[in-house]
């Protein structure tokens, strides 16, 4: 029998996966991108085409057949039900959406009568986070447009110290890192990765015998070194922000800055060290061209604000 046009539509069936649970399972399984996960599914199932659409729908938390989530779970080596979106997550998502709708309809602060009760902490935190995300999205969009329009110019730009010549045969480097940076990135591994193009001056004994207030340029003069690399790390809950400053003579530049979850670095520390090394090699003229995979030196303050907001949101959700 034909279905009337006026008959009610059938309710959509399916299950939603939790993006948070999916990303956690991906990190544990060692997959960094959805594309690599889709390729793994194709290899396991001997498919001619890669099921990118299936993986995309699962990660976008759309209604999908249980078998679609099962295919992803097989690759991540977890039970499929552990990836399902829980009722609590759906309730939280509905609450956040409802609060955002209320915020949009709220009158400006100046027009609120003095008798109206103040916003509670959770609503205020959500408002701050929404504003931060909007600002960061705008900045990133502008940068992407600038990068696209100036692609040919960027390719011709050389490193900040590309014109400097080594004092001796190879560039000599002094490395100084605070305690949190040493916990996050292995300094011996960093030196081993740099040793093909740089020699190292022994800064440990030098720092014990001379005035700790000496500037990097004074240390470079004392050790007859070419560059002074300083690593500084700030931590906010599960997030870290690490910055690399490169000094030479009277010049200093912020050459590498990342703001990410600490677990991402712990998952593949060598990947971040190699990115830092390649950046240093480019900035000192050893490499003719390189673009960091993780560094955001131009947006560091915005990323720090975003990181603080994310950390506060994580804390409020765990309480």
């Amino acid at each position: 029998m034909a279905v009337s046009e006026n008959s009610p539509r059938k309710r959509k069936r399916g299950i939603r996966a939790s993006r948070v649970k999916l990303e956690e399972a991906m990190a544990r399984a060692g997959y960094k991108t959805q594309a690599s996960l889709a390729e793994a599914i194709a290899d396991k199932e001997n498919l001619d085409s890669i099921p990118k659409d299936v993986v995309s729908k699962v990660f976008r938390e759309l209604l999908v057949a249980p078998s679609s989530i099962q295919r992803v779970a097989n690759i991540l080596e977890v039970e499929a039900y552990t990836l399902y979106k829980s009722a609590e997550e759906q309730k939280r998502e509905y609450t956040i959406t409802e609060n955002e709708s209320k915020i949009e309809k709220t009158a400006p602060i100046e027009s609120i009568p003095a008798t109206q009760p103040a916003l509670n902490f959770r609503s205020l935190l959500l408002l701050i986070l929404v504003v931060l995300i909007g600002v960061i999205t705008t900045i990133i969009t502008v940068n992407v447009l600038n990068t696209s329009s100036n692609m040919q110019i960027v390719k011709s730009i050389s490193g900040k110290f590309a014109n400097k010549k080594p004092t001796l045969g190879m560039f000599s480097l002094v490395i100084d890192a605070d305690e949190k940076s040493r916990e996050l990135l292995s300094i011996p591994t960093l030196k081993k990765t740099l040793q093909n193009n740089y020699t190292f001056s022994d800064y440990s004994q030098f720092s014990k015998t001379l005035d700790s207030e000496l500037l990097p340029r004074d240390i470079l003069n004392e050790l007859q070194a070419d560059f002074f690399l300083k690593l500084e790390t700030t931590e906010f809950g599960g997030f870290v922000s690490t910055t690399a400053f490169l000094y030479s003579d009277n010049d200093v530049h912020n050459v590498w800055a990342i703001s990410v979850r600490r677990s991402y670095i712990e998952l593949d520390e060598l990947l971040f060290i190699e990115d830092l090394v390649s950046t240093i090699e480019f900035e000192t003229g050893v490499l003719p061209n390189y673009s960091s995979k993780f560094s955001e030196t131009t947006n560091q303050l915005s990323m720090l604000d975003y990181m603080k907001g994310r950390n506060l949101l994580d804390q409020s959700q765990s309480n």
Side-chain angles (χ1 to χ4, degrees):
M1 182 177 67
V3 178
S4 170
E5 291 183 357
N6 296 325
S7 61
R9 296 182 179 178
K10 290 185 178 179
R11 183 178 179 181
K12 293 183 178 180
R13 297 184 180 276
I15 299 176
R16 298 182 194 274
S18 167
R19 188 181 183 94
V20 173
K21 295 175 182 177
L22 285 164
E23 290 179 347
E24 290 175 351
M26 275 183 64
R28 289 194 299 268
Y31 290 95
K32 297 182 178 62
T33 63
Q34 295 179 31
S36 61
L37 182 61
E39 289 174 0
I41 293 175
D43 291 341
K44 185 178 181 64
E45 299 178 1
N46 294 321
L47 303 177
D48 293 331
S49 59
I50 299 175
K52 291 183 179 179
D53 290 342
V54 173
V55 174
S56 176
K57 288 179 181 179
V58 172
F59 273 79
R60 284 156 55 200
E61 299 185 345
L62 300 178
L63 287 171
V64 296
S67 59
S68 296
I69 300 178
Q70 182 65 56
R71 295 171 71 184
V72 174
N74 290 340
I75 300 302
L76 298 180
E77 298 182 352
V78 296
E79 295 293 337
Y81 71 86
T82 63
L83 302 177
Y84 291 173
K85 191 165 190 176
S86 65
E88 182 181 350
E89 286 178 294
Q90 296 189 42
K91 181 179 178 181
R92 186 186 305 129
E93 183 181 86
Y94 173 78
T95 303
I96 292 175
T97 303
E98 188 179 52
N99 287 340
E100 288 178 348
S101 177
K102 290 180 180 178
I103 290 171
E104 291 176 357
K105 296 178 182 179
T106 302
I109 295 177
E110 294 82 357
S111 64
I112 297 178
T115 56
Q116 184 172 337
L119 291 173
N120 59 42
F121 175 77
R122 198 178 190 86
S123 298
L124 182 60
L125 180 63
L126 180 61
L127 176 60
I128 293 172
L129 184 61
V130 169
V131 172
L132 283 174
I133 291 175
V135 172
I136 292 169
T137 301
T138 301
I139 292 173
I140 292 174
T141 301
V142 171
N143 281 347
V144 169
L145 292 175
N146 288 340
T147 301
S148 177
S149 61
N150 298 319
M151 186 69 72
Q152 294 181 345
I153 298 176
V154 170
K155 287 183 179 179
S156 64
I157 294 177
S158 57
K160 297 178 177 64
F161 300 97
N163 295 326
K164 183 177 176 61
K165 303 299 181 183
T167 304
L168 299 175
M170 293 176 63
F171 282 128
S172 57
L173 185 65
V174 179
I175 299 178
D176 183 32
D178 60 17
E179 185 177 349
K180 288 184 178 179
S181 297
R182 291 178 180 274
E183 292 175 358
L184 193 66
L185 300 172
S186 169
I187 302 302
T189 303
L190 175 61
K191 287 185 175 181
K192 184 177 180 180
T193 312
L194 284 164
Q195 68 183 3
N196 289 335
N197 295 303
Y198 304 87
T199 60
F200 304 100
S201 298
D202 187 2
Y203 177 61
S204 58
Q205 294 300 321
F206 174 81
S207 61
K208 295 177 183 177
T209 58
L210 296 182
D211 187 355
S212 60
E213 297 300 321
L214 284 177
L215 297 175
R217 67 169 179 266
D218 299 323
I219 298 173
L220 289 173
N221 290 334
E222 186 70 24
L223 295 176
Q224 293 296 299
D226 296 300
F227 296 105
F228 185 96
L229 175 66
K230 186 172 183 62
L231 298 175
E232 295 179 350
T233 295
T234 305
E235 190 167 6
F236 301 94
F239 295 85
V240 291
S241 176
T242 299
T243 306
F245 297 95
L246 197 60
Y247 296 78
S248 180
D249 301 325
N250 295 321
D251 205 5
V252 57
H253 290 283
N254 173 358
V255 297
W256 193 75
I258 59 170
S259 297
V260 297
R261 287 187 183 273
R262 185 187 186 98
S263 59
Y264 291 170
I265 298 180
E266 293 173 344
L267 185 65
D268 196 343
E269 177 186 347
L270 184 59
L271 185 66
F272 285 86
I273 289 177
E274 289 176 344
D275 186 68
L276 170 58
V277 168
S278 295
T279 300
I280 294 170
E281 290 176 342
F282 167 69
E283 297 294 357
T284 57
V286 175
L287 283 181
N289 191 17
Y290 183 74
S291 178
S292 171
K293 302 179 181 68
F294 310 107
S295 179
E296 285 286 348
T297 55
T298 56
N299 299 328
Q300 190 179 14
L301 291 178
S302 299
M303 292 303 296
L304 280 173
D305 289 340
Y306 173 74
M307 191 169 63
K308 292 176 183 177
R310 283 296 306 272
N311 182 50
L312 288 173
L313 183 60
D314 288 351
Q315 289 178 351
S316 68
Q317 291 179 346
S318 62
N319 293 334

